[in-house]
Amino acid sequence: MGTFRTLSTADVTAILAAFGRAEVRLLGHTPITAGTINTNVVVDTAAGRLFLRVNEGKARDDVEREAAIVSHVAARGVATPAPLLAPGGAPFIDWNGSYVSLFPWVEGRVLARAEVTAAHARAAGAALARLHLAGLDYPDRRPGRYEPDEIGRRFARIAALGDPALGQAVAELGPELARLEDERQAGVAGGLIHADLFIDNVLFAGTRVAALLDFEQAAWGCLGYDLAVCLLAFGFGRDDFLPAVTRALLEGYQTVRPVAPEERRAFGADLRFAACRFAVTRITDVHLRRRDGAPEGKDFRRYLLRLRRVREHLAAADGLLAITDRS
């Protein structure tokens, strides 16, 4: 659910005025129910369509940081809409105790999983590589919120619950995270990463990427991990990885940014950690919150299944999840 409050016509009019658009005639506005964090609204005006976001529960630093990242990469050719500026130059306004962002509207649509073809995956891989290249000179090198230490802390809390419903997850994730602590390599290529490039965070126009969306988790991190997150999202079908889609995404990435040998060697561990990370956070942020009346959400078991399949393909050395040397 992407609507946490209802905005009236007067609310939207006031927000437009705060962005210096008091003279722009409002034609209407419609809530967008996709998403799980912010209140998102389509705003139709006589001057065109806009995307309005109320950043729910976020600190000013979080909103400023995301806006700076998006503006940086958009200026370097990444397909993503930069936030519009308020009269004082800020990329947001302070409205009723929340920070509100306003973006140009980008035409395109989010694909259902069954609609994703190899051509879509190739385009997504190339778009992610362009983002990685555009972010190499980004000055803020603070890590994201879901680094291994944080995932370890969350897992420890899960294990301490002794919940029988989570017994299998604890049995699989505990040893895997322990192995990864030893196996993942420090110093492998880092840069600005999206960290959450799922299918629903990409707008397509045909097979072309119209926009990358939702940079809330973007930070400085491991580029291979970011590619792993994207591959786990796009390349996995109902029960296993789709060979044509998986290969196309990796090929698309490498047409823009060739991957160094040390990154290729580390990629299996990056895939395993990405699967663990999303299994853990779906337990803590979705599954456990259902006890407090939170709505149904994404099932952590889907990422446990991804983890199993990753391990099987790596053990078989079948090459499906390997980044090939294209030099």
Side-chain angles (χ1 to χ4, degrees):
M1 183 66 175
T3 302
F4 297 87
R5 68 177 83 196
T6 300
L7 299 186
S8 67
T9 297
D11 291 332
V12 176
T13 300
I15 290 169
L16 290 175
F19 273 99
R21 288 165 167 76
E23 303 304 316
V24 177
R25 183 162 59 93
L26 175 64
L27 302 179
H29 67 285
T30 307
I32 301 173
T33 56
T36 57
I37 297 175
N38 305 304
T39 293
N40 301 314
V41 181
V42 179
V43 177
D44 287 303
T45 77
R49 178 169 282 187
L50 300 168
F51 177 85
L52 186 156
R53 176 203 288 167
V54 182
N55 296 280
E56 301 289 358
K58 293 182 188 173
R60 182 185 182 96
D61 181 67
D62 294 330
V63 180
E64 286 179 336
R65 187 181 188 191
E66 181 184 356
I69 289 171
V70 173
S71 298
H72 178 93
V73 299
R76 286 156 179 76
V78 172
T80 191
L84 300 176
L85 303 181
F92 56 85
I93 62 165
D94 187 344
W95 176 78
N96 285 357
S98 295
Y99 299 105
V100 177
S101 307
L102 196 64
F103 298 86
W105 183 262
V106 177
E107 291 296 337
R109 70 187 190 93
V110 172
L111 300 178
R113 178 170 299 280
E115 296 179 285
V116 176
T117 66
H120 294 116
R122 186 172 288 106
L128 180 62
R130 293 188 191 99
L131 169 62
H132 288 171
L133 292 178
L136 288 176
D137 63 342
Y138 189 67
D140 183 348
R141 300 196 171 189
R142 286 177 290 172
R145 70 187 76 163
Y146 296 117
E147 290 294 299
D149 286 351
E150 172 62 15
I151 298 306
R153 284 190 289 270
R154 287 179 180 234
F155 174 75
R157 293 199 298 271
I158 294 167
L161 294 174
D163 185 343
L166 298 174
Q168 184 61 39
V170 170
E172 292 187 52
L173 290 169
E176 190 70 11
L177 287 169
R179 285 189 291 265
L180 286 166
E181 189 173 350
D182 294 329
E183 293 176 26
R184 289 192 83 206
Q185 304 173 32
V188 177
L192 187 63
I193 66 173
H194 185 283
D196 195 31
L197 200 61
F198 279 49
I199 296 171
D200 58 0
N201 284 331
V202 182
L203 285 183
F204 284 94
T207 57
R208 176 180 63 85
V209 170
L212 305 182
L213 307 175
D214 192 1
F215 282 74
E216 289 174 311
Q217 294 183 33
W220 198 263
C222 174
L223 300 182
Y225 165 78
D226 208 23
L227 178 56
V229 170
C230 188
L231 185 64
L232 291 174
F234 275 84
F236 202 81
R238 181 178 296 275
D239 298 308
D240 202 350
F241 289 90
L242 304 171
V245 174
T246 296
R247 294 191 184 103
L249 191 143
L250 293 174
E251 290 167 2
Y253 185 91
Q254 285 223 95
T255 61
V256 175
R257 179 185 174 269
V259 176
E262 61 271 19
E263 295 177 82
R264 295 198 298 271
R265 290 192 293 269
F267 191 58
D270 288 332
L271 283 164
R272 289 158 52 208
F273 178 71
C276 290
R277 173 264 195 258
F278 282 98
V280 167
T281 55
R282 286 183 176 188
I283 292 172
T284 58
D285 297 350
V286 180
H287 177 80
L288 294 179
R289 290 183 181 179
R290 291 177 188 165
R291 299 180 305 184
D292 300 323
E296 294 291 316
K298 297 177 179 178
D299 192 337
F300 68 88
R301 296 172 188 85
R302 292 292 296 163
Y303 268 85
L304 286 179
L305 178 59
R306 283 167 169 79
L307 175 60
R308 293 177 202 133
R309 295 295 181 260
V310 166
R311 290 180 55 82
E312 289 166 5
H313 285 290
L314 294 177
D318 58 18
L320 179 60
L321 303 180
I323 303 175
T324 57
D325 183 357
R326 299 175 63 86
S327 60

